[in-house]
């Protein structure tokens, strides 16, 4: 069975035959790690690790850290963890190689696509240091993270993110890797059918994979997208233009976004919050309240970081310890209602619930957000 392929567009980094074979291997290996190998771990925990821990402590593990204490020295788990980290580094290396080989060509494509009249826009310039949670770590084990710029008009990290996102999800988020955006659009339309959307803002957009569905979901609305990474925004702008979508990309910090008060009807993010910090999350939620019009909606589509079973939570938190996602486990334990209340949202307007997709690709994300009271000051 052949591996899935992304839908090509004018900015797509295109693997050659050997590179594609390595990408196929990366996806196949991840399928084994997320499939039969991972499925064996709960059985080992239930039959072996948890009972052994209980013999010492007089009870079964009741919290994820206790489940970790019971399981982390198990040989099968250690093999699975080591292979998972190796697979992550391998797929990053291969996607990086693909984009490195085409680096100059990708820059020329960006210049050609965006050099004339465009549907959307691009505004760059960040007059502040990167927040520590972005600038002091190679996120997702990507060397240089998403901010490395080695030449003028660099788009390398954006191109690698586009291809890498597809490989990381093993193609299960759609040919354009837009499932999170589609899920967000469907959720807003179903939960807030009366919401009149004239302006949308996507925070932490990277290359706009999840942004573009809002162009189709709310036709006629101005769609804006904000991110810290200039190379990602350049690539995202050209990608959106290549796909015929009008998006206004801008460089900036979501903790204090460069837009006026009450400017947006809908503010969204997609797997942004777990990449921040406790203080950063609180600042972003407060900024959403400032930027929303009265009656506007904030929706953050997040990874399902909350699990009721201690062992499930332990496995979910693997990324925090082994995939350069240090805030992941903290987010899973945070009270998300309190920051929204302190930002100004009415408690009755705040929600945190599974966000079911319209497909069977992932099942559910975490939907967290609120509606700004119609009587609140703009």
């Amino acid at each position: 069975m052949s591996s899935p392929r992304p839908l090509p567009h004018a900015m797509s980094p295109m693997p050659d035959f050997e590179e594609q074979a390595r990408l196929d291997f990366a996806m196949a290996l991840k399928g084994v790690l997320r499939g039969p190998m991972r499925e064996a771990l709960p059985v080992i925990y239930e039959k072996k690790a948890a009972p052994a821990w209980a013999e010492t402590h007089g009870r079964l593990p009741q919290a994820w850290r206790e489940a970790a204490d019971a399981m982390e020295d198990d040989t099968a788990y250690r093999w699975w963890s080591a292979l998972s980290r190796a697979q992550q580094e391998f797929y990053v290396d291969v996607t990086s190689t693909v984009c490195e080989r085409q680096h100059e060509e990708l820059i020329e494509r960006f210049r050609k696509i965006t050099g004339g009249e465009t549907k959307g826009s691009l505004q760059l310039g960040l007059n502040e240091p990167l927040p520590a949670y972005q600038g002091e770590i190679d996120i997702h084990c990507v060397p240089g993270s998403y901010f490395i710029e080695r030449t003028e008009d660099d788009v390398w990290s954006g191109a690698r993110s586009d291809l890498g996102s597809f490989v990381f999800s093993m193609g299960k988020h759609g040919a354009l890797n837009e499932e999170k955006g589609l899920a967000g659009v469907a959720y807003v339309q179903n939960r807030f059918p009366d919401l009149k959307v004239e302006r949308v803002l996507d925070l932490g957009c990277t290359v706009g994979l999840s942004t573009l569905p809002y162009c189709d979901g709310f036709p006629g609305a101005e769609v804006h997208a904000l991110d810290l990474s200039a190379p990602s925004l350049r690539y995202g702008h050209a990608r959106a233009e290549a796909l015929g979508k009008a998006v206004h990309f801008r460089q900036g910090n979501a903790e204090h976004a460069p837009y006026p008060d009450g400017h947006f009807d809908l503010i969204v993010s997609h797997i942004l919050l777990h990449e921040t910090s406790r203080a950063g999350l609180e600042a972003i939620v407060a900024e959403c309240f400032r930027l929303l019009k009265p009656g506007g909606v904030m929706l953050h589509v997040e990874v399902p970081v909350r699990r009721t079973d201690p062992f499930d939570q332990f496995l979910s938190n693997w990324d925090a310890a082994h995939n350069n996602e240090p805030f992941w486990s903290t987010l899973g334990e945070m009270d998300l209602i309190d920051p929204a209340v302190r930002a100004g949202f009415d408690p009755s307007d705040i929600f945190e619930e599974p966000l079911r997709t319209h497909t069977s690709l992932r099942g559910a994300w975490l939907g967290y957000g609120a509606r700004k009271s119609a009587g609140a000051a703009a």
Side-chain angles (χ1 to χ4, degrees):
M1 180 182 296
S2 61
S3 298
R5 299 287 189 271
L7 182 68
H9 50 78
M11 280 301 296
S12 296
M14 301 302 293
D16 62 23
F17 181 81
E18 180 179 346
E19 291 163 344
Q20 187 60 59
R22 298 177 73 202
L23 292 174
D24 289 345
F25 173 77
M27 286 189 278
L29 176 57
K30 186 165 186 177
V32 172
L33 291 166
R34 291 298 178 100
M37 285 193 71
R38 183 171 178 138
E39 290 165 5
L41 297 179
V43 178
I44 295 170
Y45 174 77
E46 180 182 351
K47 302 295 185 182
K48 177 185 173 185
W53 192 91
E55 285 185 8
T56 302
H57 297 84
R59 58 175 176 81
L60 291 171
Q62 298 175 359
W64 75 264
R65 289 179 177 82
E66 294 175 345
D69 184 47
M71 191 67 175
E72 282 183 331
D73 288 334
D74 179 80
T75 302
Y77 169 77
R78 292 173 70 86
W79 269 109
W80 174 83
S81 181
L83 286 170
S84 294
R85 173 69 184 219
Q87 190 277 339
Q88 176 74 13
E89 293 179 354
F90 176 76
Y91 110 84
V92 168
D93 178 65
V94 180
T95 52
S96 298
T97 299
V98 173
C99 297
E100 185 68 30
R101 178 175 56 80
Q102 300 169 77
H103 193 191
E104 293 184 6
E105 179 187 346
L106 288 166
I107 292 173
E108 288 307 311
R109 286 194 232 165
F110 159 74
R111 290 170 176 166
K112 182 177 181 180
I113 291 171
T114 64
E117 184 176 350
T118 58
K119 294 177 177 290
S121 63
L122 175 65
Q123 186 172 344
L124 299 178
L126 186 68
N127 300 317
E128 61 179 291
L130 292 170
Y133 53 76
Q134 289 285 307
E136 296 183 4
I137 188 170
D138 287 342
I139 297 170
H140 305 152
C141 306
V142 178
S145 189
Y146 292 74
F147 307 103
I148 186 170
E149 293 198 62
R150 294 168 293 172
T151 186
E152 186 178 1
D153 292 338
D154 202 347
V155 296
W156 179 87
S157 65
R160 199 224 61 82
S161 177
D162 188 12
L163 179 60
S165 295
F166 185 87
V167 177
F168 181 84
S169 68
M170 301 178 287
K172 293 183 178 181
H173 293 176
L176 286 172
N177 216 68
E178 59 185 0
E179 189 220 14
K180 294 181 292 296
L182 292 173
V185 168
Y187 184 85
V188 172
Q189 290 175 337
N190 292 332
R191 184 177 179 118
F192 306 102
D194 64 324
L195 181 65
K196 187 175 182 180
V197 179
E198 296 178 350
R199 287 196 195 97
V200 181
L201 173 61
D202 184 14
L203 298 173
C205 65
T206 318
V207 300
L209 299 179
S210 301
T211 312
L212 300 194
Y214 292 86
C215 298
D216 296 327
F218 301 100
E222 281 184 10
V223 178
H224 297 256
L226 187 75
D227 200 86
L228 289 161
S229 166
S232 296
L233 291 168
R234 293 188 193 101
Y235 181 90
H237 175 46
R239 178 182 182 274
E241 294 295 323
L243 292 168
K245 308 298 183 184
V247 178
H248 301 286
F249 291 93
R250 188 167 183 177
Q251 189 176 16
N253 188 336
E255 294 185 36
H256 37 84
Y259 306 100
D261 295 357
H263 198 61
F264 295 99
D265 307 283
L266 175 62
I267 300 177
V268 298
S269 78
H270 307 84
I271 59 173
L272 165 68
L273 298 183
H274 78 269
E275 306 285 6
T276 62
S277 66
R278 185 182 295 272
L281 182 151
E282 293 180 353
I284 289 169
V285 171
E287 190 70 342
C288 288
F289 184 83
R290 179 185 74 81
L291 293 171
L292 281 174
K293 296 178 184 178
V297 171
M298 166 185 79
L299 171 65
H300 301 284
V301 180
E302 256 302 330
V303 290
V305 292
R306 299 199 197 277
R307 310 294 176 97
T308 56
D309 180 79
F311 182 74
D312 286 347
Q313 190 69 56
F314 159 63
L315 281 187
S316 174
N317 290 346
W318 181 89
D319 288 89
H322 303 290
N323 193 24
N324 291 11
E325 302 272 19
F327 188 53
W328 182 298
S329 55
T330 303
L331 178 63
E333 297 176 326
M334 274 188 69
D335 172 10
L336 294 177
I337 304 301
D338 182 62
V341 171
R342 286 189 283 108
F345 292 102
D346 189 286
S348 64
D349 295 326
I350 302 168
F351 55 86
E352 180 189 341
E353 60 192 22
L355 193 159
R356 299 281 170 190
T357 64
H358 68 297
T359 69
S360 59
L361 297 180
R362 274 290 294 262
W365 300 87
L366 172 65
Y368 163 59
R371 187 167 197 174
K372 186 172 182 177
S373 171

